[in-house]
Amino acid sequence: MSISYQSTRGGESGLTASQAILKGLADDGGLFMPDRIPSLDVSIEELAGMSYQETAYQVMKLFLTDFTEEELRYCIDHAYDSKFDTEEIAPLVKADGAYYLELFHGNTIAFKDMALSILPYLMTTSARKNHIENEIVILTATSGDTGKAAMAGFADVPGTRIIVFYPKGGVSRIQELQMVTQKGDNTAVVAIHGNFDDAQTGVKQIFGDKAFGERLAAKGFQLSSANSINIGRLVPQVVYYVYAYAKLVENGEIQNGDVINITVPTGNFGNILAAYLAKQMGLPVKTLICASNDNKVLYDFFQTGTYDRKREFILTSSPSMDILISSNLERLIYLSAGCDAGVNREMMEELSKNGAYQITGEMKAFMKDFTGGYATEAENAAEIKKVYEDTGYVIDTHTGVASAVYRAYKERTGDQTPTVIASTASPYKFSHSVLEAIQGSLGDRDEFAVVDELNRVSGVTVPNAVEEIRHAEIRHNRECGRDNMEDTVAEILGL
């Protein structure tokens, strides 16, 4: 059965998957959601014997119903290939009483590769399907990982340009170097003087500026997004949770039908929302553990039912989670309101106007599958050190947050359910913070001296993604104020 897409704020409905992917954000500022969440139509026994690519097809075909089998398999096969450094694509590592789902084996060593490796293929296929002749301008805000992964995916893809905004001083040095050394004649990177929420808000405002859209169209451009607001980002993320469960069954770690918990380090809420969608498709998931860092807006939300972004923005060692406006939570709000776009729209307007909103008791009950936790900077560092000393396994600062939150959850509840922890980045992406957690103060050591020491300590090969920026040329040095983002886009595109 075909699935159509509508805005969470009610302004658009009846779009095909390819149309929703091309638009990214709805005209009314809402996010696209399917008119129903499909059920898995192959058994776990069948999935257990499948490759990652085959699993991806079985999941994604259910959401992207206007793609032909040939089109979808083409996208999948070109996305999940030798650019990943392991044939499994997303291996599971058993350590310290949990299963770490390693989502960082793509070419930018972060989980964003799992979706952004395929999005350019979905986007260009969608453009052909809809006879789009305009050049597609991918406009994206990043808290560190999305930007590089999106640029790597779209670099020199015909018919596309990509412009990435990131918070100056708000990402790790490795993350920044990955972005500012990015090759590709169609790529642009801009450091904004503000935080990630400023970048994300600015991008949304550009999408919502109808006059600017008309200026772009007159010059043969149209905007789309590679952020997790794009349904073409969210659907591929569902795949790896289904794959992880099937592998646990195949490896004899659980029996088919056994429930698992899933712990996700969460900032923009897309990654854990994908796990929730997998559960709604029929995956036996008991509890979704939403792990926050010191920017614990989501933890407070699940505790109280009030979402309140009016608080200090804290820069942490897990910068991809330094977010106070979790865009994808809107999709859960929409579902919890019985897909009532009016209710959702009012809450989003309240957030925009007053910085907070309160959900009803019924909506809070709808979210009973979720629980929240948070880890401080000290708890995160202690967890990285403990896991390393106890097992020899090295985790990054985002996975450290998730691992610490899971440990506290297990101690608090006594829940012994087998648990998958989403391991969202290579420790080399945050090498300074990871090595400091293990060894103590590093002084003013050069970033790459730290990388080499982490290699010695961990025994894990330094990824190509890090080696290639060791001596790479800085190609992007543009900066702008948070109120000048639209002018900067106009300048880059020569409007």
Side-chain angles (χ1 to χ4, degrees):
M1 284 178 63
S2 67
I3 280 182
S4 65
Y5 288 80
Q6 67 264 333
S7 168
T8 51
R9 301 187 191 180
E12 291 176 88
S13 62
L15 277 72
T16 63
S18 63
Q19 289 168 337
I21 288 168
L22 280 172
K23 293 199 75 166
L25 190 69
D27 289 341
D28 60 3
L31 311 187
F32 288 113
M33 279 292 283
D35 58 5
R36 61 187 171 82
I37 297 171
S39 299
L40 288 168
D41 62 359
V42 291
S43 67
I44 295 296
E45 288 93 338
E46 291 173 278
L47 288 165
M50 290 182 185
S51 66
Y52 190 88
Q53 293 84 346
E54 188 58 41
T55 306
Y57 176 73
Q58 294 300 334
V59 173
M60 292 174 66
K61 71 175 186 182
L62 301 173
F63 287 97
L64 310 182
T65 53
D66 66 322
F67 283 69
T68 66
E69 179 174 351
E70 181 184 12
E71 287 169 339
L72 190 50
R73 287 192 185 277
Y74 171 85
C75 294
I76 290 167
D77 291 344
H78 283 76
Y80 305 113
D81 58 10
S82 59
K83 68 175 72 72
F84 285 80
D85 64 18
T86 171
E87 196 175 322
E88 297 160 284
I89 308 297
L92 274 167
V93 175
K94 188 176 184 179
D96 205 34
Y99 300 93
Y100 291 84
L101 178 61
E102 293 188 344
L103 301 172
F104 53 77
H105 289 277
N107 59 6
T108 76
I109 58 176
F111 82 100
K112 307 295 174 74
D113 290 324
M114 301 299 294
L116 284 165
S117 292
I118 195 168
L119 185 61
Y121 295 101
L122 295 175
M123 190 83 72
T124 51
T125 300
S126 295
R128 283 195 301 273
K129 292 173 75 66
N130 290 279
H131 311 293
I132 299 299
E133 294 182 7
N134 284 346
E135 194 164 14
I136 298 168
V137 179
I138 307 297
L139 194 61
T140 288
T142 185
S143 53
D145 289 337
T146 287
K148 171 61 180 179
M151 284 192 292
F154 281 96
D156 291 325
V157 171
T160 69
R161 296 206 200 180
I162 178 163
I163 302 170
V164 170
F165 290 94
Y166 75 95
K168 183 71 175 174
V171 300
S172 80
R173 182 57 179 157
I174 292 289
Q175 286 177 309
E176 184 170 47
L177 283 171
Q178 282 189 301
M179 287 189 280
V180 299
T181 60
Q182 175 65 49
K183 296 177 181 177
D185 292 339
N186 64 336
T187 65
V189 185
V190 185
I192 76 153
H193 304 145
N195 59 40
F196 170 73
D197 287 333
D198 296 324
Q200 181 168 251
T201 299
V203 164
K204 284 186 172 182
Q205 286 172 346
I206 294 169
F207 272 97
D209 186 336
K210 298 290 189 293
F212 189 63
E214 289 168 8
R215 281 179 69 194
L216 288 169
K219 293 288 188 179
F221 297 117
Q222 71 181 64
L223 294 178
S224 191
S225 175
N227 278 85
S228 56
I229 56 175
N230 193 315
I231 197 72
R233 268 280 303 277
L234 187 59
V235 169
Q237 291 180 275
V238 178
V239 174
Y240 45 74
Y241 294 112
V242 176
Y243 178 77
Y245 186 90
K247 287 301 136 190
L248 288 174
V249 171
E250 183 183 30
N251 297 338
E253 298 289 343
I254 61 173
Q255 298 296 309
N256 183 18
D258 289 352
V259 293
I260 63 168
N261 293 332
I262 298 174
T263 305
V264 186
T266 308
N268 220 10
F269 205 73
N271 203 3
I272 196 165
L273 182 68
Y276 176 75
L277 293 180
K279 176 182 170 76
Q280 297 308 301
M281 294 179 79
L283 206 68
V285 176
K286 180 185 170 200
T287 302
L288 295 155
I289 303 166
C290 179
S292 299
N293 63 15
D294 281 318
N295 293 292
K296 57 186 182 71
V297 63
L298 286 167
Y299 168 76
D300 291 341
F301 170 71
F302 283 117
Q303 291 294 108
T304 66
T306 298
Y307 191 95
D308 187 352
R309 66 172 172 80
K310 303 189 303 294
R311 61 186 69 206
E312 180 190 1
F313 184 95
I314 303 169
L315 289 174
T316 73
S317 61
S318 46
S320 298
M321 300 162 67
D322 290 347
I323 294 171
L324 295 181
I325 303 173
S326 303
S327 287
N328 272 287
L329 185 62
E330 177 170 346
R331 287 185 161 115
L332 184 65
I333 297 296
Y334 172 75
L335 291 172
S336 72
C339 300
D340 186 327
V343 170
N344 174 70
R345 185 173 60 251
E346 285 176 16
M347 289 186 174
M348 295 308 114
E349 287 171 356
E350 191 77 11
L351 180 65
S352 178
K353 194 183 305 178
N354 301 319
Y357 60 82
Q358 170 83 42
I359 61 172
T360 66
E362 291 81 4
M363 293 167 77
K364 197 168 190 299
F366 180 92
M367 300 177 190
K368 65 183 184 305
D369 297 335
F370 290 88
T371 188
Y374 74 97
T376 64
E377 285 286 88
E379 289 166 340
N380 185 8
E383 182 70 12
I384 292 168
K385 184 179 177 70
K386 176 175 173 52
V387 172
Y388 172 70
E389 290 182 344
D390 289 355
T391 69
Y393 187 54
V394 180
I395 55 178
D396 90 290
T397 47
H398 301 73
T399 311
V401 168
S403 190
V405 166
Y406 171 59
R407 187 183 302 281
Y409 165 82
K410 193 161 61 168
E411 289 171 358
R412 184 176 76 251
T413 64
D415 185 357
Q416 297 298 312
T417 303
T419 296
V420 169
I421 295 175
S423 184
T424 54
S426 163
Y428 283 105
K429 198 143 194 170
F430 306 94
S431 51
H432 194 281
S433 296
V434 170
L435 190 62
E436 196 164 62
I438 292 171
Q439 289 190 346
S441 176
L442 303 178
D444 58 356
R445 269 193 266 183
D446 168 77
E447 190 68 43
F448 290 99
V450 173
V451 164
D452 292 336
E453 175 64 7
L454 185 59
N455 170 240
R456 188 191 68 76
V457 166
S458 68
V460 177
T461 304
V462 179
N464 287 336
V466 175
E467 289 293 0
E468 69 187 13
I469 61 172
R470 200 183 281 261
H471 305 294
E473 172 195 1
I474 303 293
R475 297 170 57 89
H476 306 275
N477 50 25
R478 193 182 258 111
E479 298 185 15
C480 78
R482 61 188 175 190
D483 297 325
N484 304 114
M485 290 170 61
E486 188 169 278
D487 291 341
T488 303
V489 171
E491 177 194 322
I492 290 168
L493 297 177
L495 297 188

